[in-house]
Amino acid sequence: MKEYMDYVIRFLPIVISIISLLISLKTHFTRMREERPSFSIVQNLWTSSPYYELINEADSKLDAIPSPSYYMFIASKVYFQLETEQCFSVLTLSPVSYDVIDEQIVSGTTKNSIVKSKLPSNFSAKKGEREMIRSQTEQKDGLQMFVETYPFLVIISEVEYSYKHKKRKDILLSTPLVTQKMKESMVKHIREYIHDNYHHEVLLPNDSSSIYAKTNTQVLQACDNLKENSAFFGGKEGGYGFILKMIGRMMIPVDPMENYYEKDNKQKRIQRGKFKWIK
């Protein structure tokens, strides 16, 4: 036993040194990771002067102020209900021209708010289940379609920047609920989707009406001719790399009063894979 303890004591300083080194390395890499730029896009649409802004949430200082590019969309989910009550859904992305931006304000700093993009009042909206815009088609050949349009933007941004004298690029996909990084291959599918569906672009209304309501009407019209607009609903060979499905999983605005208002205001309910209207 004494020999065993002597053996342990002899090697204990080495073990302690190794553990200390590992802790030090972990701390070092954690600090480096925290110092690296961390971009997000924040939408503030609940105002008469809606805007979104590119933010660097980290304390890191960039070599220069980046000039991000943006793809903007308004998302709608289309539900297809059969006579058997079976239901499935697809996401559509209606392109919005970058020209709608009224003004871009560059803050002059590479931390916190970097670039703010101001939008027309047509983009004003509140986030939540009750703010979604809904419509439905007439039943035809045993099929009825319902369109839900989300009152916010889906923004994809390619942020090229220089950090510690190295050129880098982050690709962000943002909704008011989440910002996450994308791969270059995903952006390739988005560009292809835009190319195939440019004619579904939503133009700014001539009056002060909601651009989301206009989008809902356009998507509903596209439902009238599914064959001609199949690409808009992702019906193309390869399905655009399932990019619509991936973005669709992010389209979940949460309203804590949803269940209450569902019963009292006779709103739509989706349960157990079935699409029903409460009567």
Side-chain angles (χ1 to χ4, degrees), residues 191-210:
R191 292 195 192 102
E192 184 182 359
Y193 183 84
I194 295 172
H195 176 269
D196 293 345
N197 297 287
Y198 69 91
H199 51 287
H200 290 286
E201 178 183 326
V202 185
L203 302 178
L204 197 66
N206 294 324
D207 53 18
S208 59
S209 61
S210 167

Side-chain angles (χ1 to χ4, degrees), residues 199-229:
H199 51 287
H200 290 286
E201 178 183 326
V202 185
L203 302 178
L204 197 66
N206 294 324
D207 53 18
S208 59
S209 61
S210 167
I211 194 168
Y212 310 107
K214 184 176 182 180
T215 301
N216 186 270
T217 299
Q218 285 190 199
V219 176
L220 194 66
Q221 291 171 348
C223 290
D224 290 337
N225 194 334
L226 291 175
K227 186 175 181 180
E228 182 180 323
N229 298 299

